[in-house]
Amino acid sequence: MTGFGWAVTLAAAVAVAGSLWRAAGWLRLGLPVVPPSARERAGALLASVGRGPRGKRAWRGVSALVLDVLAQRRLWARDPIRWAAHFLLFVGFTGLLFLHALGDVVTVRIAASYMPTVNPWLWLRDLLGVLVLVGFALGTVRRLAARGRLPAPRRRDPLFVLIVLGLVASGFALGAVKITSAPAFERMLRDYASVSDDEAAALRAYWAAAHGVAFSPPMAAASPAQLAAGEAVHEAACAACHARPQAALLSYSLSRTVRGIAPGLASWGAEAWLLQLHQLLCVLAIAYLPFGRAFHVVSAPVALLAGAGTAPPSDPNRHTRRALALDACVRCGLCDERCSVAPLAPLLGNTLVLPAAKLDALRTVARGRRDGGPGTARLAEGAYACSDCGRCTVGCPVGLRLDDLWSAGAEALRRGGEPPAPEWVKATAAAEWADRLAAGAPAVRSPLPRYTSLTVDRHTFSPCVQCQTCTNVCPVVAHSDRASGVDATPQKVMNLLRLGLPDLALGSRMVWDCATCYQCQEHCPAGIRVTEVLYELRNRGYECLGGLPRPERAALPGPGAS
């Protein structure tokens, strides 16, 4: 085995070990808690695999493989341009892997006469490389066009992208240098062609004119008779192994641009070091794959196939499915574009409201690395802002059950001592919150509210005549019981604002119990925007009260069933 063969073998071993390590994480991590051990979860997984797909389940698996994994129909339905970029990358890389990198293993079984320097393999190799470059270009253009609409993903993996682009570019450069290389021609002539000196001279003239080989010193223009003689020698000795290089779409075009410096490149050994660079990048790409974001080329198809059937809530593999989903996310950001509460992200100054950023944070939660500080509090704010509309799940091109992840993540935060804001705000009386705000006002308040001016503009609530119409139509008031009833009805909240007591209003139960049904606002005879005032108070209250110490809350025990 050659040195390159040993390097590829070692890189493949590293890739396999890394892939097993990533897959083992699917059995270690889970949300919200993972009472079953990795061994128990592995047993449940093996049991489900042992039962095997049958009937409709088998058909769903085949359908998912063909339509979701290979054809990527989910991405096509959401974003045709992104689909085109991904599909070109998929076809190009897959073709290069099996028809070029593994040509001596795979392609020879398809065509016994396989040789990389003859057609269709010569032009097909360049075509597949062009598809990869076009796919990258489409993806880059689309990313630039979408820049600024939503926050960019926090986690990127430029190293693998650079390795792959370098691999493709070095392949084209190597092809161009070999086309123009006189030493490569002389090596081929010495090793494979048994011709006389006159035939060799005619062949050189023909290859210089028809194939673009750059000899040093440059050859004089050949006569038609010499070219005809060279072509005859080529057909007899070379044509079976060498197609015309013009079939190599991009490599031949590139060779035209470097032909003038080809003798210099040959003297510097450019062909040898380009080959070494190409092989090195190939080895690096193989070894690095399981340790970067690009591993989704493995985990995403597994997630699509694992989700081919609808799993019941009691599915014993639910923790494994969630861990797999966290690993299979491709960070495409399409969930952000469909998120119903995405406008809250800039309003709250918290990107963790957006699904893609929230998924990154949930990986930290699943690994048990919550810091219990501001980062966890911001994640809780983003988690509880979710409206459970399910649009992110419907639009996910990998078919991830994002709604299930959100509910599991929120439960994990709740058990870890980060309940929703209404729970910890309503646990303390409004008067006590007002006292705490008065004592800690300089530390927790910004000079100006970052929302609207409804709660600081007296013209908003001063027309209130305390008629109680808003209270009479409020479903929260109607359904509250004596023990936990509201401490300030809507018209009382308006009155607190009129009296200049917004701190007392921030901690009132009404602000946090409001269902935003707009009944009060629609029925108000004075046209006061009651619901919008309550909603703004809630946002301002979270900002202000969240900066104050609150009573200690022990983590809830985890039953392990969610």
Side-chain angles (χ1 to χ4, degrees), residues 254-349:
L254 186 60
S255 73
R256 299 298 85 200
T257 65
V258 302
R259 188 176 184 184
I261 60 173
L265 292 175
S267 65
W268 298 335
E271 181 184 351
W273 61 258
L274 275 173
L275 176 60
Q276 293 172 359
L277 175 63
H278 190 65
Q279 293 175 337
L280 174 63
L281 292 173
C282 178
V283 170
L284 290 177
I286 294 172
Y288 182 71
L289 178 63
F291 305 100
R293 272 186 49 189
F295 188 70
H296 69 252
V297 301
V298 176
S299 56
V302 173
L304 285 167
L305 294 174
T310 302
S314 59
D315 177 22
N317 292 309
R318 61 191 177 281
H319 296 292
T320 304
R321 291 178 187 272
R322 288 169 181 165
L324 171 58
L326 291 174
D327 205 22
C329 173
V330 299
R331 281 87 162 180
C332 64
L334 291 177
C335 51
D336 290 350
E337 296 179 5
R338 294 180 62 88
C339 180
S340 298
V341 296
L344 285 179
L347 187 67
L348 299 175

Side-chain angles (χ1 to χ4, degrees), residues 198-222:
D198 291 340
E199 291 174 330
L203 189 60
R204 289 188 184 91
Y206 176 76
W207 272 60
H211 288 211
V213 177
F215 292 95
S216 180
M219 298 184 65

Side-chain angles (χ1 to χ4, degrees), residues 472-509:
N472 293 334
V473 299
C474 178
V476 175
V477 175
H479 292 85
S480 61
D481 53 44
R482 292 181 180 273
S484 60
V486 295
D487 52 0
T489 56
Q491 103 272 0
K492 290 182 179 179
V493 173
M494 298 302 107
N495 199 36
L496 289 173
L497 295 176
R498 289 199 312 167
L499 296 173
L501 300 173
D503 293 349
L504 196 58
L506 291 179
S508 67
R509 296 179 61 88

Side-chain angles (χ1 to χ4, degrees), residues 395-413:
C396 178
V398 190
L400 304 182
R401 286 292 310 275
L402 297 177
D403 52 348
D404 177 62
L405 287 175
W406 304 151
S407 61
E411 182 64 18
L413 291 168

Side-chain angles (χ1 to χ4, degrees), residues 175-187:
V177 169
K178 291 180 71 174
I179 289 173
T180 60
S181 174
F185 171 83
E186 296 296 342
R187 186 171 58 249

Side-chain angles (χ1 to χ4, degrees), residues 26-27 36-49 316-317 320:
W26 306 341
L27 299 175
S37 65
R39 178 179 297 179
E40 292 172 320
R41 293 170 66 180
L45 179 62
L46 290 175
S48 63
V49 172
N317 292 309
T320 304

Side-chain angles (χ1 to χ4, degrees), residues 21 25 77 105 146 272 314 376 387 390 401 415 476-477 518 528 549:
W21 173 76
V105 178
S314 59
T376 302
S387 63
R401 286 292 310 275
R415 296 181 188 283
V476 175
V477 175
Y518 281 86
I528 298 174

